[in-house]
Amino acid sequence: MWLTDSSIGRKVVMSVTGGALILFLTFHMAMNCVALISGDAYNAVCEFLGANWYALVGTVGLAFLVVVHFVYAIWLTIQNMKARGSQRYAVTKRPKSVEWASQNMLVLGAIVAIGLGLHLFNFWSKMQLQEIIHGTNFIAGQNGPTDGAFLIQYTFSQWYYVLAYIVWLAALWFHLSHGFWSALQTLGWNGKIWFRRWQVIGNIYVTLVILGFVAVIAMFFFKSLC
């Protein structure tokens, strides 16, 4: 099957799954920004997207996309290293035409994966997972598994979580900004005129998504200082 047997096929899988994950991050950012306006409204969204069947189906689908994306990323990296052989050690200076992010996608991906694990621990394990298992593993002061507004306030009132999330989001920006136009290039949307345009559009889009997450972190952190 060409999606697994060829380099182009594997890149297509990376592009499609990566695009789907960017769309999810856009939705997640918009959902989080509701907390900037109203904690009650955010909790209502959390309740709507709790352990309902459609949310569970979405969670399973999202987990599948993440696993496939990570597996193919590692697979492609190993294949590229084998293809270059000893020549990968011959160049010590990065060519100007190659972005820093493209040279460090595996490292950036590892940081993103670690940050994802931290995020699942801080939020998913205390919200949807508790609904699924009918658990009571809540933070003191949290009014049930749909009290997401309290969890945001609790998490980002601690400076070390704020720092960890900022590092995670910075790595995510580099990862996504390269992945956005790289995916379009793989899918053939890279004409001479639009190649640079897609880079600019991708950088702007990804920056807005990341800034949405940062805005939530910053507001609740500074709110905790007042």
Side-chain angles (χ1 to χ4, degrees):
M1 185 177 181
W2 74 278
L3 290 177
T4 57
D5 295 338
S6 70
S7 177
I8 296 298
R10 291 190 287 269
K11 288 181 179 179
V12 168
V13 172
M14 284 285 293
S15 300
V16 173
T17 56
L21 292 173
I22 289 176
L23 290 177
F24 168 76
L25 285 173
T26 304
F27 164 77
H28 193 22
M29 179 274 294
M31 171 184 166
N32 283 7
C33 284
V34 174
L36 296 173
I37 303 171
S38 169
D40 290 338
Y42 180 73
N43 286 346
V45 175
C46 292
E47 184 174 0
F48 178 74
L49 297 174
N52 303 299
W53 70 267
Y54 45 83
L56 293 177
V57 170
T59 300
V60 172
L62 180 62
F64 174 77
L65 289 174
V66 170
V67 171
V68 170
H69 192 74
F70 282 163
V71 168
Y72 270 71
I74 296 172
W75 191 358
L76 278 171
T77 300
I78 293 174
Q79 290 298 317
N80 289 338
M81 292 177 65
K82 288 182 177 179
R84 290 197 302 269
S86 60
Q87 292 182 356
R88 66 181 182 271
Y89 302 108
V91 178
T92 58
K93 185 176 181 180
R94 177 174 56 89
K96 293 182 179 179
S97 60
V98 181
E99 290 187 344
W100 178 86
S102 68
Q103 293 272 304
N104 296 275
M105 286 296 277
L106 187 62
V107 174
L108 292 171
I111 296 174
V112 170
I114 293 171
L116 177 60
L118 177 65
H119 190 61
L120 291 175
F121 169 76
N122 281 331
F123 291 94
W124 181 77
S125 69
K126 297 177 177 64
M127 297 180 70
Q128 189 181 70
L129 178 60
Q130 295 306 311
E131 286 193 80
I132 294 173
I133 65 175
H134 303 289
T136 57
N137 183 28
F138 306 133
I139 299 295
Q142 181 185 0
N143 296 317
T146 61
D147 192 2
F150 173 83
L151 277 180
I152 292 178
Q153 179 65 69
Y154 172 81
T155 302
F156 298 124
S157 64
Q158 303 173 75
W159 67 268
Y160 45 87
Y161 278 137
V162 173
L163 180 61
Y165 271 78
I166 293 300
V167 171
W168 179 35
L169 290 172
L172 194 58
W173 185 90
F174 280 108
H175 191 80
L176 295 180
S177 61
H178 170 75
F180 185 96
W181 66 263
S182 180
L184 295 177
Q185 184 180 34
T186 297
L187 296 175
W189 299 349
N190 62 330
K192 294 182 179 179
I193 296 177
W194 276 94
F195 181 73
R196 292 296 300 176
R197 291 179 182 178
W198 280 127
Q199 285 184 302
V200 173
I201 292 171
N203 286 341
I204 293 173
Y205 183 85
V206 169
T207 298
L208 291 175
V209 171
I210 296 301
L211 285 178
F213 286 115
V214 172
V216 175
I217 294 172
M219 192 197 85
F220 281 91
F221 174 67
F222 287 115
K223 184 179 178 181
S224 69
L225 299 178
C226 298

